[in-house]
Amino acid sequence: MDKQVHTSKTMRAGSLSPTSTISATSLDLSRLPPIAIFTAHLKDGEETMVKETLRQYNAPLTTDVSRAKIFIGKVGTKRRAEFELRSRKLVVEEVVAPKRPASPVKVDGHSSKRRKVSGASARAVPANEGDSTTEDEAREDSETEDEANGGKQYTLLSSPSGSDRGARAVTIFEDSSDADIIWVIKVDWLHACVSAGRLLPLGDNLVYKSRVLERPKSLNTKSIRAIFSAVPKAAPASQTLLASRPHPMQDIVDRAKADAPTTSKKSSYQPPRFGNHASHHFKDKTFAPSSQHAGHSYASQTTHLLQQTTSEYEGEDSDIPQPPEWVKKGVKFACQRFTPANGPNEDFLYQLKKIRTARTLIDDDIGVRAYSTMIASIAAYPFKLSHPREIAQLPGCDEKTAILFVEWKNTGKIQAVEDYENDEAMKVLRSFYDIWGVGAKTARHFYYNNHWTELDDIIEYGWNALDRVQQIGVKYYDEFLIPIPRAEVEHIGAVVREHAVRVRDERITVTIVGGYRRGKTTSGDVDIVVSHPDLESTAGLVRDIVESLEESEWITHTLTMSLTNTNRGQNALPFRSARATGVGFDTLDKALVVWQDPAWPSRERDIAVNPKAKNPAIHRRVDIIIAPWRTVGCAVMGWSGGTTFQRDLRRYAKAVKGWKFDSSGVRSRSTGEAIMLEGPDGVDGTPEDAEKMVFEGLGLEYVPPEYRVTN
């Protein structure tokens, strides 16, 4: 992974960087009290930016109001802060500090009165301006009267970028020993800290400080996040594999063993009081240690593992094959390399995919993307992995990936995967996540908020609260989990084509995309792209096809019917227009339906006995997508690649071409206009030919669909 230096350019007024780059500064928010976000007045995407920025700097982010002590958001007045707290069932009273004269502070050995400063312009005292870091001096650096009062303190280390003389202790938040205090602060404080690369006093960014009289009861009675995300703070750099890195290809094992004298066998580390936040790939600890490792830092565990079990890797450098060109060149986009199914490292990838699923279930979006990147990179590697150095050289992988490989190679398992598979709460979340129409967020809501632990709970207590898609997902839960063989997928595609031709003509094209086109032996659902060379023939086509299939009893439920593309004249939606109106870019006409073969062997006999005899045929999920001929190549391309392939295709189009790509077409990010990479309507050819033209227009080598397996 390329480490990028975070600069002030990534921070604009009123916005945070969502990129989670590793900063060269010393900003560390891990010792803050638990932080919750006020979502009011945060525009689309801003909440995610704030959340990801807090996570990047190890802030203890929480959604549990019963334990949050800091609330951050776009809150400008005490009255608004009181309202937000009251709406969360927090009973509070304002803390009003007595006025007191400013304390003198020594500067260069002379006493002088402290100048009052405020907001982001406040200058933290450099570490070299004093040798002492006592509590008294920390209080003198405090910005407000409230912060200067005595009591229990959350001491935060803040030092200017580049300082090598140690960090000056700056007290930002404090609490009296017998009070439960809450701070409401403006998000501007976070902007300022990230820009400065260090903690800054609150100043005018402190909106409201209150004493809690009553908190709501915690709903997270079984906090799986605490199990999988609350990890001890990493050991000092000299005790980790990231230390002493003269060359990126230096052997990881050798460095770990060289560091052995500085790492005691038994760590005296005590986890920070406020550390229950989801880690991510860039500061990755994978998961919290299992019970037998409680009290040891992750760095100590991993180094210990390598010292004891990796002697077999010594002297194997000569056996490492020469890496392919994409590895040598550091090609980071999955759409620029060939990734086949069933590669030589599927057993290891199977373990990593389980960790990624766990990250999904604990709402660690950054971790999910990071694991997806490393999985796609390893999947494209054509050789059987035998040495951790091989992994470290792959784009998107690093020492932590190599540590997982060493653990799996030497023990036959990964402890994080064992924890994930054996945890009862995770089993419940997985079962809910498998419901069609239920994402990870909803699954967590079912479990943590509603305290449901099985499908029967959803049916008994929450059926009327489900939307129609979720109700169908629960009703046919077991059937939807049964894989669809290729022969059945092809049969469904043939039936769709038959009815499409019936409502139009023989020039209709039907392309089965998704996992089937990538060569999977079975599919979870069936995705079909339908098109026609004449523009007027694709207008309203999805409605006509679905009505014809319903009449023939192939479709039992139509859950989504979208005619957005038809309603706007099937013109590509300009990029700027889409962004301004908040409309999604993938605006093709489509229908999501439940499919069932209307014929079964004993149909006539069963109906003769009972005219309302139930069809025993299994229900399937089918998506029918309609693409105009002018952009059918983008549609086929957008629905054929694995998840990471498609993500990197969009990233590549943005980074290299300055374009916006999705399955409905390509648009310029500068002018907002559509870019036509395919032929006009009515020309001869096939959707596959059009897809190749899109690859060419993007400047990419054509990757056959069976080599886009990046899941």
Side-chain angles (χ1 to χ4, degrees):
M1 179 191 70
D2 295 332
K3 292 185 178 181
Q4 298 173 316
V5 178
H6 187 88
T7 66
S8 60
K9 292 182 180 180
T10 63
M11 294 295 302
R12 300 187 301 273
S15 66
L16 289 171
S17 170
T19 55
S20 295
T21 54
I22 293 180
S23 176
T25 68
S26 58
L27 181 60
D28 180 9
L29 306 181
S30 63
R31 299 192 205 178
L32 289 178
I35 300 176
I37 299 175
F38 282 154
T39 58
H41 305 304
L42 292 178
K43 298 179 181 178
D44 292 343
E46 286 186 331
E47 180 184 356
T48 299
M49 290 182 182
V50 172
K51 183 186 299 184
E52 292 187 356
T53 302
L54 287 169
R55 284 177 174 169
Q56 173 186 344
Y57 296 102
N58 289 340
L61 192 62
T62 183
T63 57
D64 189 352
V65 177
S66 68
R67 60 184 298 271
K69 286 183 170 290
I70 300 173
F71 291 86
I72 188 169
K74 288 187 175 181
V75 181
T77 64
K78 292 182 179 179
R79 185 175 180 181
R80 181 68 193 188
E82 290 173 340
F83 171 79
E84 293 289 347
L85 295 174
R86 187 167 60 250
S87 67
R88 288 161 175 78
K89 299 182 180 180
L90 283 160
V91 181
V92 300
E93 64 178 5
E94 184 178 3
V95 173
V96 180
K99 297 292 183 179
R100 71 170 191 175
S103 301
V105 60
K106 290 187 177 183
V107 179
D108 297 331
H110 302 283
S111 296
S112 64
K113 288 190 176 181
R114 175 170 56 92
R115 291 181 298 171
K116 186 174 182 179
V117 292
S118 63
S121 61
R123 182 181 68 88
V125 180
N128 59 357
E129 288 190 11
D131 297 328
S132 174
T133 56
T134 64
E135 289 187 4
D136 290 340
E137 290 178 332
R139 289 195 193 103
E140 290 171 0
D141 291 335
S142 176
E143 234 0 80
T144 65
E145 299 291 344
D146 290 348
E147 294 169 46
N149 290 338
K152 187 171 183 178
Q153 302 167 347
Y154 305 102
T155 303
L156 308 174
L157 295 180
S158 176
S159 63
S161 176
S163 175
D164 58 0
R165 296 191 182 184
R168 169 104 171 175
V170 180
T171 302
I172 305 296
F173 299 96
E174 62 184 356
D175 191 357
S176 61
S177 58
D178 58 349
D180 181 4
I181 301 297
I182 279 179
W183 295 265
V184 178
I185 59 178
K186 299 177 183 178
V187 73
D188 294 346
W189 177 75
L190 182 59
H191 300 326
C193 290
V194 173
S195 293
R198 62 181 185 273
L199 283 164
L200 297 175
L202 296 177
D204 294 337
N205 289 312
L206 176 62
V207 178
Y208 188 63
K209 181 178 179 181
S210 60
R211 182 179 295 105
V212 179
L213 304 179
E214 182 180 346
R215 286 182 180 266
K217 292 183 179 180
S218 175
L219 296 176
N220 296 338
T221 56
K222 299 178 182 179
S223 178
I224 192 65
R225 185 184 297 277
I227 299 173
F228 288 102
S229 296
V231 284
K233 187 174 175 63
S238 62
Q239 299 180 21
T240 70
L241 295 176
L242 300 178
S244 306
R245 189 175 184 178
H247 191 280
M249 293 304 295
Q250 182 179 343
D251 196 311
I252 299 167
V253 178
D254 291 343
R255 283 187 278 121
K257 298 179 76 172
D259 285 337
T262 65
T263 306
S264 61
K265 291 185 178 181
K266 184 174 181 180
S267 172
S268 60
Y269 171 78
Q270 296 296 324
R273 179 178 176 184
F274 303 104
N276 186 20
H277 56 283
S279 63
H280 52 73
H281 174 65
F282 304 104
K283 293 184 179 295
D284 190 273
K285 281 83 176 175
T286 306
F287 290 105
S290 58
S291 58
Q292 67 247 37
H293 296 301
H296 295 264
S297 72
Y298 182 84
S300 297
Q301 294 177 48
T302 52
T303 304
H304 207 49
L305 170 68
L306 291 175
Q307 290 168 357
Q308 290 183 344
T309 62
T310 57
S311 59
E312 63 202 74
Y313 295 113
E314 297 179 1
E316 291 186 3
D317 290 12
S318 59
D319 296 332
I320 299 177
Q322 283 295 314
E325 285 299 313
W326 63 266
V327 174
K328 294 178 180 179
K329 295 179 180 179
V331 174
K332 62 181 180 179
F333 297 119
C335 58
Q336 293 179 289
R337 55 186 184 239
F338 287 62
T339 308
N342 303 317
N345 300 295
E346 285 299 310
D347 43 6
F348 179 50
L349 290 176
Y350 182 67
Q351 302 295 315
L352 296 182
K353 289 175 183 178
K354 289 183 179 180
I355 298 177
R356 181 179 61 184
T357 299
R359 292 301 181 95
T360 299
L361 296 176
I362 65 171
D363 194 24
D364 183 7
D365 294 337
I366 297 176
V368 171
R369 289 196 296 269
Y371 272 94
S372 294
T373 297
M374 71 172 70
I375 288 169
S377 189
I378 295 172
Y381 189 65
F383 309 113
K384 181 73 173 178
L385 290 169
S386 61
H387 196 286
R389 181 185 293 182
E390 290 180 271
I391 295 180
Q393 68 185 347
L394 299 181
C397 299
D398 56 14
E399 288 92 341
K400 303 173 194 68
T401 318
I403 289 170
L404 292 174
F405 172 75
V406 170
E407 181 183 359
W408 172 78
K409 190 73 172 177
N410 293 332
T411 66
K413 62 182 181 179
I414 297 177
Q415 187 59 49
V417 176
E418 298 290 307
D419 294 341
Y420 159 68
E421 292 184 326
N422 295 327
D423 187 87
E424 293 301 319
M426 280 304 236
K427 293 177 182 178
V428 175
L429 291 176
R430 287 201 304 271
S431 67
F432 290 163
Y433 185 61
D434 285 337
I435 300 172
W436 188 30
V438 172
K441 182 177 181 180
T442 303
R444 288 191 300 274
H445 180 80
F446 287 171
Y447 180 69
Y448 291 122
N449 295 67
N450 298 343
H451 306 291
W452 298 336
T453 58
E454 54 188 21
L455 293 182
D456 288 345
D457 292 339
I458 299 176
I459 297 171
E460 182 176 358
Y461 303 112
W463 183 259
N464 293 331
L466 303 180
D467 61 36
R468 188 159 178 260
V469 174
Q470 293 167 345
Q471 288 178 343
I472 296 299
V474 172
K475 183 177 182 179
Y476 300 119
Y477 180 83
D478 293 327
E479 294 183 56
F480 287 164
L481 291 178
I482 299 175
I484 310 174
R486 289 184 67 85
E488 186 178 349
V489 173
E490 292 165 358
H491 176 63
I492 293 173
V495 173
V496 171
R497 172 174 170 75
E498 175 188 341
H499 285 261
V501 170
R502 184 182 302 176
V503 299
R504 290 298 185 268
D505 57 53
E506 286 289 344
R507 300 178 70 197
I508 280 285
T509 65
V510 172
T511 308
I512 304 175
V513 290
Y516 171 87
R517 191 161 183 253
R518 294 194 297 275
K520 292 182 66 176
T521 57
T522 61
S523 302
D525 60 1
V526 182
D527 301 319
I528 299 173
V529 174
V530 182
S531 189
H532 192 285
D534 296 334
L535 185 63
E536 61 271 17
S537 293
T538 49
L541 177 58
V542 68
R543 178 186 55 228
D544 297 341
I545 292 176
V546 169
E547 288 177 355
S548 179
L549 290 167
E550 285 178 337
E551 289 175 2
S552 300
E553 300 181 359
W554 288 99
I555 293 177
T556 62
H557 304 80
T558 300
L559 302 177
T560 299
M561 172 74 74
S562 172
L563 291 169
T564 305
N565 201 32
T566 292
N567 293 336
R568 69 162 190 269
Q570 301 187 87
N571 295 312
L573 191 65
F575 174 68
R576 292 186 183 279
S577 172
R579 182 170 54 186
T581 59
V583 179
F585 296 126
D586 189 3
T587 54
L588 295 175
D589 291 356
K590 62 176 71 69
L592 278 61
V593 304
V594 178
W595 183 279
Q596 185 184 41
D597 192 329
W600 68 93
S602 59
R603 175 185 170 105
E604 293 184 4
R605 183 174 63 254
D606 294 344
I607 292 179
V609 175
N610 178 12
K612 295 183 179 180
K614 184 178 179 181
N615 183 349
I618 193 170
H619 292 82
R620 302 299 196 183
R621 293 177 295 145
V622 176
D623 297 345
I624 302 173
I625 305 102
I626 309 299
W629 197 252
R630 64 182 65 163
T631 57
V632 67
C634 290
V636 170
M637 190 177 184
W639 283 80
S640 293
T643 303
T644 306
F645 185 94
Q646 295 306 118
R647 184 199 69 181
D648 283 3
L649 187 60
R650 295 190 295 270
R651 293 174 60 215
Y652 169 88
K654 178 181 180 180
V656 177
K657 294 291 187 178
W659 295 346
K660 166 68 182 176
F661 171 87
D662 60 53
S663 61
S664 62
V666 178
R667 289 161 297 279
S668 169
R669 291 179 176 272
S670 59
T671 66
E673 299 304 318
I675 298 173
M676 307 309 297
L677 301 180
E678 308 171 41
D681 297 321
V683 300
D684 294 332
T686 66
E688 291 80 5
D689 294 334
E691 181 189 49
K692 292 178 180 179
M693 296 175 67
V694 177
F695 270 97
E696 182 179 356
L698 288 169
L700 291 169
E701 180 182 0
Y702 176 71
V703 179
E706 61 269 23
Y707 289 98
R708 306 178 202 171
V709 188
T710 58
N711 293 333

